[in-house]
Amino acid sequence: MLNNRIINIFFLLLKSGLWKNANLDTELFPLTNREWEEIYKISINQTVECIVFDGIQKLEPKYQPSKILLLNWAVRVEKHAQRNERMNEIIIKLHSLFQEHQVNSILLKGQGLAKCYDNPARRVCGDIDLFFEDKNTYTKAFNIINEKGLEINSMPGFSSEYNFEGFEVEHHRNMFDIHNPFVQKKLEKIRLEEINNFTTLNIENTKIKLPSALETIIQANSHILKHLLSYGIGIRQLCDSARIYAHYNQELRTKNLKEIYSSLGIKNWVDMLHLLLVKYLGLEESNLPYKLTANLDADWMMEDILVSGNFGFHNANFVDKEINLNGGRANKKSRIWKSFLKYVKVTPSEAIWFPIMQYYSRFKI
C-alpha cells in the first residue's frame, strides 16, 4: 500500500500543508478526477482534509482538482473552521462554569494541540477533554454537570463523558494514557516536576490552562499508542505529535525524553513513531528529542494506520458489519487480540496492561 501512487501523492500534499517550507514536487501530477476523489476520501477518513487542502493551494492551477471538487473541499474546510470557533466558545463556557465553583481543570489535546499548527483552524476538532488533578475535583466537576441535568456516562480509563451544547466532553482522572501500574509513580513525579511549567491557550482574552510541553508530548504519544492497541488511529494524531515536537522544540530539548520514554516502557514504540513522523509526515529530524534509531521497520504500523482510518472507524474490513452498530465496533475481541500480537513485541508492558486496566476501570470508579 505504501508504494501506491495515490498514497504517495496523499503524503506529498499532507507534508506540503503541514509545513510552510515543504517542497511540493509536481512530478506525480496531473491527476485524473477519479484519483482526486480518492485523495479526497483518504483525507477525510484520516481527518486531515484541511491540511491536505492547504497543500493543494501550493499547486499551480493546472495541477489542482476540478473546480467542483475544489469548491466542495473548500466548503468542508470552512465548516471545520466554524466548528473550531464554536468549540472555542464552548471551552470558555465550561471554563467559566467550573471556575464559578472553584474547580480547576486542564484542557487536554484538541484546541491545545491546534495552537501548535501554523493555522489552528486547519486541525479538525474532535471532543473536548478536561483533566482534573485529583479525585475530589473530578467528583465536584461530575456533580456540577449532573446538576445541569446532563446525562453522564462512565468510560473505561477512569473517565466520563457527556454532551454539552452539541459537543462531546470527556472528564479524565488520568492525564496520560499509560496503563502499566508500575510506572504510575514515575508519571506522578513528572506531574509534580512540571506543575509550574504549564502552558496556556488564549481564547478571547480567557487563559485556558494546558499541560506543560513535556506532559503534552507524553500525553499525545501515549494516546496514539492506546488507540493502536485497540481499533486503530488516524493520521491526524500523528500530525499532532509532529507539530508538538516542532512547536515545543526548545522546551523539549531540555528534557531527557529518551530516558523518560525508556522508564515508561514505550521507547521502542516511540522510536518507530519518530521514524514515521520524519519519513511520511516531513518532520525535520532536528526537531526530534534524540537521533532516529537505525535499522527500524515501522512501515507495517503506517499500513495499519492507513487501513483503520480515524480511530478505526473507516476500516474497510469492517465497514459493512458496522453500518447498523450506531458507532459500535465489529469483531472487538479478535481486533484487540491482533493488535496485542503486533505490539507486545514492541511495547510489552503497555500491550499487556492496556486490556487489563481498561477492564478494571469499568468497575473501579
Side-chain angles (χ1 to χ4, degrees), residues 308-321:
S308 66
N310 187 47
F311 296 119
F313 284 116
H314 300 284
N315 193 319
N317 297 320
F318 304 100
V319 169
D320 292 339
K321 294 181 180 180

Side-chain angles (χ1 to χ4, degrees), residues 267-285:
K267 179 184 174 296
N268 290 343
W269 174 79
V270 170
D271 288 348
M272 295 174 63
L273 174 64
H274 286 174
L275 181 59
L276 297 184
L277 299 184
V278 172
K279 184 176 180 180
Y280 292 102
L281 271 65
L283 176 68
E284 293 184 5
E285 190 174 346

Side-chain angles (χ1 to χ4, degrees), residues 86-292:
R86 178 59 180 155
M87 175 174 273
N88 286 340
E89 294 172 3
I90 298 301
I91 289 172
I92 292 176
K93 280 190 176 184
L94 287 168
H95 176 78
S96 299
L97 174 64
F98 292 130
Q99 285 293 297
E100 287 172 11
H101 294 81
Q102 291 78 49
V103 172
N104 296 318
S105 63
I106 297 177
L107 181 67
L108 302 180
K109 301 177 286 187
Q111 302 302 80
L113 300 186
K115 68 174 282 189
C116 298
Y117 289 69
D118 292 328
N119 183 350
R122 289 305 198 241
R123 184 187 185 275
V124 174
C125 63
D127 302 335
I128 297 172
D129 294 86
L130 300 174
F131 166 68
F132 298 91
E133 297 184 83
D134 55 64
K135 188 174 181 179
N136 288 337
T137 307
Y138 178 90
T139 302
K140 279 186 180 180
F142 186 99
N143 292 335
I144 291 167
I145 297 302
N146 196 38
E147 288 173 4
K148 294 187 73 67
L150 300 177
E151 181 181 353
I152 309 174
N153 301 308
S154 295
M155 302 168 60
F158 307 102
S159 302
S160 56
E161 64 176 349
Y162 56 93
N163 188 288
F164 189 92
E165 297 189 21
F167 284 85
E168 289 299 317
V169 182
E170 296 183 2
H171 288 188
H172 303 283
R173 281 171 52 190
N174 294 332
M175 175 179 285
F176 307 107
D177 290 315
I178 300 287
H179 299 86
N180 180 358
F182 298 107
V183 300
Q184 296 308 310
K185 287 186 178 179
K186 173 66 177 178
L187 291 172
E188 183 59 28
K189 184 173 182 288
I190 290 172
R191 287 278 301 118
L192 290 173
E193 290 174 347
E194 293 293 309
I195 199 164
N196 294 320
N197 296 331
F198 64 88
T199 58
T200 57
L201 173 67
N202 294 323
I203 307 176
E204 296 179 6
N205 298 319
T206 301
K207 286 189 175 182
I208 308 297
K209 190 174 182 180
L210 304 176
S212 71
L214 177 61
E215 292 170 325
T216 297
I217 193 60
I218 295 174
Q219 200 283 328
N221 286 349
S222 63
H223 184 68
I224 293 171
L225 177 57
K226 167 191 168 182
H227 285 284
L228 286 175
L229 288 169
S230 53
Y231 305 109
I233 202 161
I235 299 291
R236 176 185 57 169
Q237 283 67 35
L238 270 67
C239 290
D240 288 344
S241 181
R243 290 299 319 191
I244 293 166
Y245 277 128
H247 183 78
Y248 290 117
N249 179 259
Q250 294 303 315
E251 293 94 326
L252 294 177
R253 280 183 180 278
T254 65
K255 312 295 181 180
N256 190 353
L257 267 167
K258 189 174 185 178
E259 189 279 328
I260 291 172
Y261 289 144
S262 293
S263 68
L264 296 177
I266 62 173
K267 179 184 174 296
N268 290 343
W269 174 79
V270 170
D271 288 348
M272 295 174 63
L273 174 64
H274 286 174
L275 181 59
L276 297 184
L277 299 184
V278 172
K279 184 176 180 180
Y280 292 102
L281 271 65
L283 176 68
E284 293 184 5
E285 190 174 346
S286 59
N287 282 322
L288 290 174
Y290 53 89
K291 290 184 178 180
L292 284 174

Side-chain angles (χ1 to χ4, degrees), residues 21-38:
N21 300 321
N23 293 321
L24 184 52
D25 187 357
T26 57
E27 185 179 324
L28 296 174
F29 296 86
L31 278 64
T32 65
N33 289 339
R34 184 174 179 179
E35 287 175 325
W36 273 119
E37 289 286 352
E38 287 187 59

